[in-house]
Amino acid sequence: MTHTNRKIIALVSDDFEDLELWYPVLRLREAGFTVDLVAEKAQTVYHGKYGVPVTSDYSFTDIKVADYAGILVPGGWSPDKLRRFPEVLEMVRYFDTQKLPIGQICHAGWVLISAGILDGVNVTSTPGIKDDMTNAGAIWHDTPAITDGHIISSRRPPDLPEYMQHYLAALEK
């Protein structure tokens, strides 16, 4: 199936985990999706943990979230920054209420925790935030990737192939 005219948000801020941003973005683009890199400021260069740069397409306030089929939250240290923006939390809550795919990997669970959407949800993450996830009401599993409804989660970069199989399958629903 070709997915032209379907758009995905990939959230960006400094200190994202390079592979956890770029691998999903490239896989989705290969599958025919438009992936917009959305950050605090449009047309701004942000750097990953290992120095890989990315230039944002749009700011959080430039986009109309209803135009998108899903959202990706990469890990690294950027989720700790992203969760401080009310606009980001509103985006995540929108996708949650619409039951549209929300992808989170590694430390990205922090954003979903701050959005208050994990109560009773089966998830995984880096083991380093397991307690944060369970304290937010999530049911944590030590598995490469898991889908619970529209929330797709994964642990770390080596799990990216399985994570993207889950995410792409959720977009097919």
Side-chain angles (χ1 to χ4, degrees), residues 54-171:
V54 63
T55 301
S56 59
D57 298 309
Y58 301 104
S59 76
F60 301 140
T61 58
D62 287 341
I63 62 167
K64 182 178 176 189
V65 73
D67 292 341
Y68 292 86
I71 191 167
L72 292 167
V73 187
W77 302 120
S78 69
D80 189 39
K81 297 171 184 162
L82 290 168
R83 68 182 176 166
R84 299 172 196 202
F85 292 97
E87 301 90 347
V88 168
L89 301 181
E90 289 170 20
M91 280 187 240
V92 170
R93 289 182 192 122
Y94 170 83
F95 286 102
D96 186 53
T97 60
Q98 298 300 309
K99 306 297 184 217
L100 294 170
I102 299 170
Q104 65 112 59
I105 184 166
C106 201
H107 286 84
W110 280 336
V111 175
L112 281 66
I113 289 167
S114 292
I117 65 165
L118 290 181
D119 192 31
V121 177
N122 289 287
V123 296
T124 191
S125 67
T126 178
I129 67 165
K130 173 187 175 184
D131 292 345
D132 300 330
M133 300 289 271
T134 58
N135 288 337
I139 304 159
W140 192 86
H141 303 267
D142 187 10
T143 188
I146 190 169
T147 298
D148 189 342
H150 59 286
I151 296 176
I152 303 94
S153 57
S154 190
R155 295 179 302 195
R156 56 183 75 98
D159 302 325
L160 281 163
E162 190 168 338
Y163 170 64
M164 285 311 297
Q165 289 174 5
H166 283 252
Y167 195 82
L168 286 164
L171 288 168

Side-chain angles (χ1 to χ4, degrees), residues 3-8 25 27-35 69 168 171-172:
H3 300 285
T4 56
N5 301 327
R6 293 203 49 202
K7 299 193 310 182
I8 306 294
V25 166
R27 286 283 309 274
L28 286 163
R29 287 178 177 166
E30 288 172 348
F33 286 87
T34 297
V35 182
L168 286 164
L171 288 168
E172 293 295 326

